[in-house]
Amino acid sequence: MSAKYIFVTGGVVSSLGKGLAAASIGCLLESRGLKVNLMKFDPYLNVDPGTLSPFQHGEVFVTDDGAETDLDLGHYERFTHAKLSRDNNWTTGRLYEQIIAKERRGDYLGKTVQVIPHVTNEIKAATKKVAQDVDVLIVEIGGTVGDIESLPFIEAIRQMRQELGRDNTLFVHVTLVPFIAAAQELKTKPTQHSVKELLSSGIQPDILLCRTDRYLSSEIKSKIASFCNVEEEAVITAKDVASIYEVPIVFAHEEVDTLILRRLRLEAKERDLSKWEDLVHRVYNPKDVVRIGIVGKYVMYEDSYKSLKEALVHGALAHNLKLEVNWVDAEGLEAADKADKSSDKTSDKSYEAQLEDYDGLLVPGGFGKRGIEGMLRAIQYAREKHVPYFGICLGMQTACIEYARNVCGLADANSSEFDPATPHRVIYKLRELRGVEELGGTMRLGAWPCKIEPGTLAYKVYGQTEISERHRHRYEFNREYEELMVAAGLRISGSTPDGTYVEMVEIPGHPFFIGCQFHPEFKSKPLEPHPLFKAFVGAAYEHGQKLKEHKEAAEVEMFLRPDNVGRR
């Protein structure tokens, strides 16, 4: 049977959650036994998001084959079992690059290359390529309906409806129904205009996912259905929820999957969301709280660390805990440290005071020297105070620099990324990238194997000696310093099978101190938490409980002191 296609578009404003909607639909269809795949088209002219600022675009999600993709692909993988690759994310820039390369080779035989049919044909070909061997392909069109840059994608999916027919294609439009506080009512006009814009491009939506902060009444649904030319049952309340993992359950309550199956004439078993229902139950009924401080460079925009935060949530849910994340600006720790040194007394918010309330500390990935000294302060604090520490990519590199400086006595130890003239390049540029100045797609990317040393904390966490994890880095640990740092107590617990690259380091005797060169957050799922995050959160919670017990014991001891008893 050839695949069915679901096209997800968005209107009114951006950031309505098209990616989450697509992922949740995929989750529902999988729960009914169907095999799904998902893809996203991004309208911007960058070839990929790899060189985009995290403040502009959020996180770059890396697939097994090394593709730098949109963060929505992270949602797709977390909510479904789809195996994604570079074929699952296309940008306008990459499509045009491919078309121009064909034109230069003479593939078009002298024809005038135009948006229609050449660009739209490439879009359709890319879509059909990832629809092989699946029952349903869900395609998200990035941007907002009406944007000039997204018009070729809208035209391409319009053509696919014409070519494949209504039984094989379905249009889902995510729109906004805002509540106007001054009028104390929901307004449907933005949705009406959004659908009108879509109709002007030749597309009649089949299902409307109406983003709102409250349930839509039957009167509101009837009004939207009447003005937007859809059935009332196809007007879906996509209500705000406290946890994104509740979205599939909300959609199931609205019978979104039942509607899709009927429209696409698909036969499937009854849905089974028991595991998701159990997950959501744990989300809203935690036994306790665990507090994690993330010391990073891009903390002002949380989407920069989207997969990281979700992986921590997964690790907390594995222990039936509520995650409380605090974003600690690494530069703020630098400023606090300078304030401490410039005055005789400790400032109100010294770097230690900023870190003392956390059960565990994590330093994530990043590029450039900004905030590095603050990260080093946080790592030193975690090492000396025995606070569970987890360093990812840059977090591993800075952990090595901190250890070289403060344990091995190499005061000027650094990375050649931050100080090219440092006499002790503990971290330096990947050997195969020396002389390569281009930034796009030139890192060590994708899934690479790692051999774990038996008897280490890493081995205890993974329970195996061979693993595969996803990478995105341009610098590596300099093994010339291995002997010195190992002699001082650092343990290299993971390396590439050929011994070229150091993949994991740890400090024996510390409750939990692990740095990894790879990005484990990209492989964590809510129903399958990554072992490193599960172990880190567990260690952090245990540390927090011990601190709490010590504090309570100290308070009791103070209360029972003779001088206090005498006063009573």
Side-chain angles (χ1 to χ4, degrees):
M1 183 184 75
S2 58
K4 308 281 188 174
Y5 296 84
I6 299 174
F7 299 105
V8 180
T9 57
V12 185
V13 293
S14 60
S15 302
L16 283 181
K18 296 188 301 297
L20 272 174
S24 298
I25 290 170
C27 174
L28 287 178
L29 296 180
E30 270 198 352
S31 76
R32 287 179 171 269
L34 296 173
K35 187 177 181 182
V36 303
N37 201 355
L38 300 97
M39 74 180 303
K40 183 177 184 184
F41 287 109
D42 279 304
Y44 49 76
L45 286 170
N46 302 69
V47 173
D48 60 44
T51 55
L52 284 172
S53 165
F55 293 118
Q56 285 208 4
H57 191 265
E59 150 190 286
V60 174
F61 186 81
V62 179
T63 56
D64 273 348
D65 67 341
E68 295 176 289
T69 69
D70 186 80
L71 63 81
D72 277 332
L73 270 73
H75 290 314
Y76 303 164
E77 285 204 351
R78 285 188 284 272
F79 279 67
T80 73
H81 292 90
K83 300 295 183 185
L84 306 182
S85 69
R86 66 181 67 253
D87 291 332
N88 294 81
N89 188 204
W90 285 80
T91 68
T92 298
R94 187 171 157 214
L95 283 164
Y96 274 60
E97 182 183 53
Q98 186 165 294
I99 291 165
I100 290 169
K102 286 184 177 181
E103 187 274 332
R104 293 289 84 186
R105 288 199 307 265
D107 291 6
Y108 296 115
L109 300 174
K111 292 179 181 177
T112 302
V113 181
Q114 297 175 292
V115 173
I116 303 172
H118 299 100
V119 176
T120 52
N121 283 350
E122 289 291 335
I123 294 168
K124 290 187 288 184
T127 303
K128 291 172 182 175
K129 182 178 179 181
V130 294
Q132 298 172 15
D133 303 320
V134 297
D135 299 311
V136 180
L137 174 67
I138 302 167
V139 183
E140 178 190 350
I141 307 298
T144 306
V145 167
D147 294 345
I148 291 173
E149 56 262 37
S150 62
L151 287 176
F153 301 103
I154 299 296
E155 171 60 20
I157 64 175
R158 184 199 68 79
Q159 291 178 18
M160 290 191 73
R161 162 63 67 91
Q162 290 293 100
E163 295 166 7
L164 301 173
R166 292 182 178 275
D167 292 346
N168 295 309
T169 54
L170 185 84
F171 293 120
V172 176
H173 190 55
V174 184
T175 181
L176 180 68
V177 181
F179 179 78
I180 306 301
Q184 285 294 297
E185 62 179 349
L186 291 162
K187 291 296 184 181
T188 64
K189 195 63 71 177
T191 292
Q192 294 177 41
H193 281 290
S194 183
V195 172
K196 183 179 179 182
E197 185 70 43
L198 199 55
L199 283 167
S200 71
S201 298
I203 292 176
Q204 166 66 59
D206 300 298
I207 296 175
L208 295 177
L209 297 180
C210 301
R211 295 284 286 109
T212 177
D213 64 350
R214 62 203 67 206
Y215 283 105
L216 302 180
S217 65
S218 57
E219 290 81 9
I220 292 287
K221 286 188 173 185
S222 177
K223 182 180 180 181
I224 292 172
S226 177
F227 280 98
C228 297
N229 199 29
V230 298
E231 295 177 11
E232 188 174 329
E233 66 174 357
V235 180
I236 307 299
T237 300
K239 182 179 170 292
D240 295 348
V241 288
S243 169
I244 61 173
Y245 302 117
E246 194 181 350
V247 177
I249 294 171
V250 170
F251 282 8
H253 182 263
E254 293 274 313
E255 297 290 344
V256 172
D257 51 335
T258 304
L259 189 60
I260 289 171
L261 293 176
R262 189 165 72 247
R263 293 294 179 90
L264 293 177
R265 302 187 186 278
L266 281 168
E267 296 290 333
K269 67 177 186 179
E270 289 297 312
R271 79 171 79 92
D272 178 11
L273 290 176
S274 55
K275 291 181 178 179
W276 283 90
E277 288 165 351
D278 174 65
L279 177 79
V280 171
H281 177 77
R282 281 184 278 132
V283 168
Y284 291 117
N285 298 277
K287 70 176 183 182
D288 209 343
V289 177
V290 61
R291 295 173 179 82
I292 304 296
I294 298 179
V295 183
K297 298 162 66 77
Y298 318 116
V299 295
M300 291 78 79
Y301 186 47
E302 286 189 24
D303 273 0
S304 301
Y305 302 113
K306 189 64 180 175
S307 290
L308 179 71
K309 183 182 177 183
E310 295 308 319
L312 284 168
V313 170
H314 306 160
L317 287 172
H319 298 281
N320 199 21
L321 297 170
K322 178 184 178 182
L323 175 71
E324 189 178 290
V325 165
N326 273 47
W327 304 93
V328 182
D329 185 2
E331 286 185 288
L333 297 182
E334 292 179 8
D337 185 37
K338 289 174 184 174
D340 289 350
K341 290 177 179 177
S342 63
S343 61
D344 295 331
K345 61 178 182 177
T346 304
S347 64
D348 291 338
K349 214 54 173 167
S350 68
Y351 80 88
E352 290 193 356
Q354 292 184 50
L355 300 173
E356 65 184 4
D357 292 331
Y358 302 120
D359 302 329
L361 293 172
L362 188 152
V363 173
F367 299 93
K369 67 183 291 184
R370 183 176 61 83
I372 295 301
E373 294 302 321
M375 293 178 188
L376 294 175
R377 279 296 180 200
I379 295 165
Q380 182 179 8
Y381 177 87
R383 180 178 57 79
E384 293 178 348
K385 303 288 185 182
H386 292 272
V387 177
Y389 172 77
F390 188 12
I392 296 174
C393 196
L394 177 63
M396 186 199 94
Q397 296 175 3
T398 46
C400 292
I401 293 169
E402 190 280 328
Y403 204 87
R405 286 184 183 181
N406 299 316
V407 179
C408 301
L410 304 178
D412 296 322
N414 215 327
S415 166
S416 60
E417 179 183 11
F418 317 136
D419 180 10
T422 178
H424 299 294
R425 298 185 305 161
V426 176
I427 306 295
Y428 62 1
K429 197 169 187 178
L430 288 164
R431 280 156 277 184
E432 64 265 33
L433 291 184
R434 288 173 194 171
V436 177
E437 299 302 326
E438 287 188 12
L439 297 180
T442 56
M443 289 181 276
R444 185 167 178 253
L445 293 163
W448 293 89
C450 170
K451 185 178 179 182
I452 295 177
E453 295 297 323
T456 60
L457 177 59
Y459 179 78
K460 182 181 177 183
V461 168
Y462 279 99
Q464 58 192 77
T465 56
E466 291 278 348
I467 60 168
S468 175
E469 294 285 1
R470 298 177 187 178
H471 296 68
R472 185 175 183 251
H473 64 107
R474 190 173 276 115
Y475 291 81
E476 61 168 311
F477 176 81
N478 185 349
R479 298 203 85 142
E480 291 177 9
Y481 290 88
E482 178 179 354
E483 186 177 346
L484 172 66
M485 295 178 71
V486 168
L490 189 72
R491 181 82 187 265
I492 294 177
S493 51
S495 304
T496 51
D498 63 3
T500 302
Y501 300 115
V502 170
E503 294 279 4
M504 299 184 77
V505 298
E506 60 186 64
I507 298 178
H510 192 283
F512 189 100
F513 193 106
I514 279 186
C516 59
Q517 186 59 75
F518 45 81
H519 288 267
E521 67 269 27
F522 293 146
K523 295 183 75 171
S524 186
K525 297 172 183 277
L527 300 179
E528 302 167 20
H530 193 285
L532 277 173
F533 285 94
K534 183 179 177 180
F536 170 61
V537 171
Y541 179 67
E542 187 178 329
H543 172 73
Q545 290 301 104
K546 287 179 180 177
L547 285 182
K548 189 177 179 182
E549 290 170 7
H550 289 159
K551 186 176 180 182
E552 289 174 352
E555 288 174 351
V556 170
E557 184 182 350
M558 180 65 71
F559 182 76
L560 295 177
R561 282 177 60 176
D563 52 342
N564 288 331
V565 173
R567 289 196 192 103
R568 291 201 299 275

